[in-house]
Amino acid sequence: MAITHYVLPALALASTALDASQLASCTTYSGSVAIETGLAVPQDANGHQQLEITTVKKITGNLTVTNAIALASLKFDSLQSIGGFELGGLTVLSELSMPALAEVNQLNFTALPALQILDFGGTGITKAVSVLITNTGLSSLTGINNLQQIDTFNVNNNQALQNISLQVTSITNSLDIEANDGYQTGLTTSFPMLETATNMTFRNCSSISLPALANVTEDLGFYGNTFETFAAPNLTSAGGLIFVDNTALTNISLPQLTSINGTYQIANNTMLKKIDGFTKLSVVKGALDFSGNFTDVELPALTQVQGAFNMQTSGNFDCSAFEKLDQNKVVKGNYVCSGSQTKPGGAGTKPSGTSSGSKASGTSSAGQFQANLPVVMGGTSLVAGLLQLIL
């Protein structure tokens, strides 16, 4: 039976005996199913509605339920796969039960403040192309935590969410996790099987575990997190590596990292005094940009910085080791190193004063510096800054 588009008030609660018999006999819908406003079903004493469909096993198109403001319970007892699954503006939905669901092309959940638990049963969803979960009442992502394949994963602004743990081995497009407050305890994240990723952004997390991560082809960025330490023991290369405004961070350990193909930025991590966890880092193809109040930086294997080199700190800092790198042409772009600064700045800024260990060479119009600065806008992460200085 092929249904290209079916508005569910008629589909789910059949208006005629013929519709009911057709629905009862169908296990696969070729097309999309939508509930876009209300339901022609009775309300309980609280004015809430329930919808349960027992026979459907597969929807080849999309299942869309939006702005059904009285819907409190949605059940598809036999549904195993959906082309796309969108829930939005369901303010009283507190029960979502799909115990057989295993495969979704796109999952998009927005504005579901009463939904606290995903009941996908068994192992839950194991395959999806993209996931967006924003502004929900979810306290965990049980039901999708066994995902093995994913292209895009974006989870943001879920105030009760306390933990994200996925079993994926690769993320082919992007991962964005931000503004999930976990009722002030902070969101913990774990990706124990993840080996490769394209672009990853973490914001407002209390812990991040990436024990198997080996390669990130674009940016790996950490912004405004509350974790004290970060380690990626198997990471060997990254397109860009950025630590900004992680106020509790005291230690970074990436012992196998050898190359960064873009920006290498560490800025405004107020508790980070010593940067010594990059013992094998040899090549930075973009800019090296450190600013903060650190007192010790060790990069013993560094042989090449193709972009600008900026190291400014309010701490008492000896620049002599890095002056040798500049003299030996390790740094190809503009070189700035200065300690005891009142207002240490990022690449492209001039030191506010000259200290005994400071030196600046070249001009700010030489070289190329790039930095990605994501901002939160409407619950999504945007790469909002691209600084360039023509070297």
Side-chain angles (χ1 to χ4, degrees), residues 121-142:
T123 58
I125 298 173
T126 58
K127 184 178 180 180
V129 174
S130 68
V131 170
L132 170 64
I133 299 176
T134 180
N135 192 21
T136 75
L138 292 170
S139 59
S140 76
L141 298 185
T142 301

Side-chain angles (χ1 to χ4, degrees), residues 63-75:
L63 172 60
T64 302
V65 188
T66 56
N67 301 315
I69 59 175
L71 184 63
S73 175
L74 179 64
K75 298 180 180 180

Side-chain angles (χ1 to χ4, degrees), residues 303-309 322 325-326 328-335:
T303 60
Q304 184 180 149
V305 178
Q306 292 186 4
F309 182 104
F322 299 109
L325 295 181
D326 184 41
N328 292 332
K329 307 301 181 182
V330 169
V331 179
K332 307 303 181 184
N334 189 52
Y335 171 88

Side-chain angles (χ1 to χ4, degrees), residues 108-111 131-135 152-159 174-180 199 201-204 223 373-384:
N108 188 333
F109 289 176
T110 62
V131 170
L132 170 64
I133 299 176
T134 180
N135 192 21
T152 302
F153 188 83
N154 188 328
V155 177
N156 66 81
N157 289 282
N158 302 283
Q159 298 302 304
S174 65
L175 178 142
D176 294 277
I177 297 175
E178 53 189 287
N180 302 287
N199 193 301
T201 298
F202 295 89
R203 191 186 280 269
N204 313 117
Y223 307 87
L373 305 174
V375 297
V376 176
M377 182 179 295
T380 60
S381 175
L382 302 177
V383 177

